[in-house]
Amino acid sequence: MGFNEPGSAPNSGTRLVTLDDLTRRDASRDFGGKENVPRKAITMGIGTIFKAREIILMAWSGKKAPIIKKAVEGEMSSDVPATYLQLSDNVEFVLDMDAASDLTRFNTPWLVKDCVWDDALIKKAVIWLSQTVKKPILKLTEEDYNNHGMAQLITEKGTAYEINIDIFNKLQSTITGWPGGKPNADDKRRPERAEPARKRVVIFSPHPDDDVISMGGTFIRLVDQGHDVHVAYQTSGNTAVWDDDVLRYMEFAIDFNKSIGQETDHLENIYEDMRGFIENKQPNQLDTQEIRDVKGFIRKSEAIAGARYAGLDDDHIHFMALPFYETGKTVKKPVTDIDVELTMELLQQVKPHQVFAAGDFADPHGTHIVCFNIVLAALARLRETEDWAKDCWLWMYRGAWHEFATHEIEMAVPLSPQEVERKRNAIFKHQSQKDRPVFPGDDAREFWVRAEERNRETAKSYDDLGLANYEAMEAFVKWKF
């Protein structure tokens, strides 16, 4: 749909347009920051598009799901110009499953057709019904089921009461204050195993702050409960630091060297070269190696501070610097065997019982899904030959960019007000990402605010369904090998 921004008329032609703020934020990565994105663009209008013999709209990833739902099922409006495509007899939408996931036929299929009711679909449907009628699960009636397209479910699977009890119990069993498993407890209805009581754990963090942003409370709780926790920062994150921070740290290094009587001529020459480069730097221009190094050091020092605050010793903090990332550009190299082998080496060193990895693939950099696939490939290879790997559970976390839907959650870790504050303090160690990070994505909130509000929304969702009322919750889904 090009740059047909909200307000575009159905008969609009090819023209110059002023870009919407969201469009400019979405494009910021390609231009080296939002401030470099043009404010105007030329676009083919809706009227011009309708002159085509055939129209194909393509979309992929869950990030596109909300706008696809509006385009296909929403009322026609200039607020969403893509809805005008409903007027054409020659339009075809080509989508992947993630982009199509909000469409009624996929998201709530019981509203449009008979369903094959497996356990996952029943759980999703009952939670949806509870949220729709605004009743706790245990108060849902057969009338609620009948009036909302779910009569087939109670006809095939039993009474509303029986279904309600079953789903309530399944939800309740996802809640645990023991993310590493509760020692000497019956673990048949708990998300994690009780044994071994002290687990070896590896938390993989794609960028040097994803660990504390997305699962900082669980991270701290695992350490507090005595598990052998390691954190592995998969990339340096050195493209996401402001240039003026580099100068500030260099000035600090020069002043410190002077204060202890060290020679600073060489540092000052490097500093002047950096300053000259930055003053003349073009959007998306590759930084010099020295600038990239300082940006990486800034993020490394912040990650160390965050991990130490969570309770880790320095020898349990690992910086992988996976080669695919280290281009200095927003566009990265393809993953190679070296990335997977480095990950395998770390896993073989620790031999974890638990691995946590980022499962929120909507990050604007695309780094999370790449890093997750590297972890997955490493574990898959190790599972072919090493017994410990076959017994290693992989938990996915989200939070920096979006959260798991309630029906997807398999482990929900409650956080007290004090633990929420500790998590916030761990996030605050990442000062270069505070206030306004280089690549904020399409969420204007600070990372710590996003994390807290998403964690509170998860807790509220459980409360609304009739379960315990917690301050906040971090959510996880177990990977099925």
Side-chain angles (χ1 to χ4, degrees):
M1 296 303 292
F3 294 119
N4 282 291
E5 304 287 14
S8 298
N11 61 349
S12 57
T14 300
R15 66 204 188 281
L16 185 69
V17 296
T18 299
L19 296 181
D20 182 81
D21 187 68
L22 176 59
T23 301
R24 295 184 66 236
R25 286 207 307 270
D26 283 347
S28 64
R29 178 171 174 263
D30 296 325
F31 286 85
K34 179 185 167 185
E35 66 277 6
N36 301 317
V37 179
R39 294 183 179 276
K40 295 183 182 295
I42 294 173
T43 190
M44 182 183 292
I46 303 292
T48 309
I49 290 172
F50 272 123
K51 294 177 182 178
R53 289 190 300 273
E54 183 178 2
I55 302 169
I56 298 174
L57 187 148
M58 295 185 290
W60 49 91
S61 87
K63 187 176 180 181
K64 295 295 183 183
I67 191 66
I68 289 297
K69 179 175 175 62
K70 290 179 181 178
V72 175
E73 298 180 353
E75 291 186 17
M76 280 185 287
S77 166
S78 63
D79 291 340
V80 183
T83 56
Y84 292 130
L85 295 179
Q86 297 172 21
L87 295 170
S88 175
D89 295 326
N90 302 311
V91 66
E92 183 176 4
F93 284 69
V94 180
L95 315 171
D96 68 2
M97 285 302 296
D98 289 333
S101 60
D102 281 359
L103 295 175
T104 300
R105 71 198 79 171
F106 298 111
N107 189 35
T108 51
W110 51 87
L111 297 178
V112 293
K113 63 182 180 181
D114 286 344
C115 298
V116 178
W117 290 102
D118 59 19
D119 289 345
L121 188 61
I122 293 172
K123 182 180 179 184
K124 180 179 182 180
V126 173
I127 290 172
W128 171 87
L129 180 60
S130 174
Q131 293 169 337
T132 299
V133 301
K134 294 181 171 53
K135 287 183 181 180
I137 287 175
L138 294 179
K139 291 187 177 181
L140 296 174
T141 65
E142 295 200 1
E143 184 179 9
D144 294 325
Y145 280 77
N146 289 332
N147 290 343
H148 292 83
M150 294 166 60
Q152 180 202 3
L153 175 57
I154 56 176
T155 299
E156 291 183 10
K157 299 296 182 179
T159 66
Y161 175 80
E162 292 168 333
I163 296 171
N164 295 345
I165 287 287
D166 179 57
I167 299 304
F168 181 88
N169 288 339
K170 285 177 177 174
L171 276 169
Q172 194 168 47
S173 68
T174 65
I175 303 172
T176 181
W178 299 85
K182 187 172 183 178
N184 305 312
D186 180 1
D187 59 12
K188 289 192 291 293
R189 293 185 62 83
R190 291 181 176 274
E192 251 295 354
R193 302 152 290 178
E195 300 298 333
R198 184 173 187 264
K199 290 185 173 64
R200 294 185 298 274
V201 181
V202 175
I203 298 170
F204 283 103
S205 181
H207 300 98
D209 56 357
D210 289 311
D211 55 333
V212 291
I213 290 173
S214 300
M215 56 168 292
T218 301
F219 186 170
I220 291 169
R221 184 167 283 205
L222 285 165
V223 176
D224 286 350
Q225 291 174 352
H227 299 287
D228 182 19
V229 181
H230 295 249
V231 64
Y233 299 103
Q234 294 170 278
T235 71
S236 66
N238 63 3
T239 59
V241 176
W242 296 108
D243 291 336
D244 53 8
D245 277 348
V246 173
L247 300 181
R248 185 161 59 89
Y249 275 79
M250 284 296 294
E251 290 158 0
F252 171 88
I254 291 168
D255 286 343
F256 179 75
N257 272 14
K258 286 181 178 178
S259 75
I260 59 174
Q262 294 294 312
E263 182 271 328
T264 62
D265 289 350
H266 186 52
L267 271 180
E268 290 183 50
N269 288 336
I270 294 173
Y271 169 79
E272 290 301 330
D273 289 343
M274 287 179 171
R275 190 165 182 175
F277 175 87
I278 288 170
E279 286 176 356
N280 298 290
K281 183 178 175 181
Q282 299 300 307
N284 269 352
Q285 183 178 353
L286 181 66
D287 285 329
T288 65
Q289 185 61 55
E290 291 83 2
I291 291 175
R292 297 207 303 272
D293 286 345
V294 173
K295 289 182 176 181
F297 299 152
I298 290 171
R299 303 226 48 194
K300 180 178 181 179
S301 65
E302 292 171 346
I304 291 172
R308 284 175 178 166
Y309 181 83
L312 291 196
D313 294 330
D314 289 0
D315 62 356
H316 280 47
I317 305 171
H318 308 271
F319 293 90
M320 303 183 71
L322 293 177
F324 86 88
Y325 185 91
E326 299 303 319
T327 64
K329 305 175 185 177
T330 54
V331 177
K332 307 305 179 185
K333 294 184 291 189
V335 171
T336 68
D337 271 354
I338 297 174
D339 299 295
V340 178
E341 288 164 3
L342 288 169
T343 305
M344 290 173 66
E345 288 173 11
L346 177 64
L347 288 167
Q348 287 172 314
Q349 174 188 332
V350 178
K351 292 184 172 58
H353 303 96
Q354 278 185 317
V355 166
F356 291 86
D360 49 348
F361 305 144
D363 72 299
H365 327 83
T367 303
H368 285 201
I369 191 167
V370 174
C371 286
F372 180 80
N373 285 335
I374 290 170
V375 173
L376 198 59
L379 282 170
R381 290 189 195 180
L382 291 168
R383 285 167 66 89
E384 293 176 0
T385 57
E386 305 200 19
D387 288 340
W388 68 264
K390 297 172 186 175
D391 197 38
C392 176
W393 289 15
L394 172 58
W395 289 99
M396 297 185 292
Y397 61 79
R398 289 182 180 174
W401 303 102
H402 66 305
E403 188 54 276
F404 291 110
T406 308
H407 69 271
E408 298 175 307
I409 296 171
E410 294 178 273
M411 179 162 68
V413 180
L415 305 181
S416 68
Q418 293 75 24
E419 286 168 323
V420 170
E421 184 175 359
R422 290 175 70 189
K423 174 176 177 172
R424 183 193 309 159
N425 290 337
I427 297 173
F428 282 175
K429 303 300 181 186
H430 296 270
Q431 295 176 2
S432 69
Q433 305 304 298
K434 188 151 181 348
D435 300 325
R436 189 167 66 94
V438 179
F439 299 116
D442 58 4
D443 191 330
R445 296 174 295 179
E446 288 191 50
F447 282 120
W448 71 272
V449 178
R450 300 183 203 182
E452 285 192 16
E453 291 185 358
R454 288 194 180 107
N455 293 163
R456 288 194 171 103
E457 286 165 7
T458 300
K460 185 177 185 306
S461 173
Y462 270 72
D463 180 35
D464 290 344
L465 294 170
L467 291 111
N469 183 4
Y470 293 100
E471 176 73 11
M473 280 179 163
E474 291 178 340
F476 302 86
V477 169
K478 184 183 174 187
W479 179 261
K480 281 72 176 176
F481 285 95

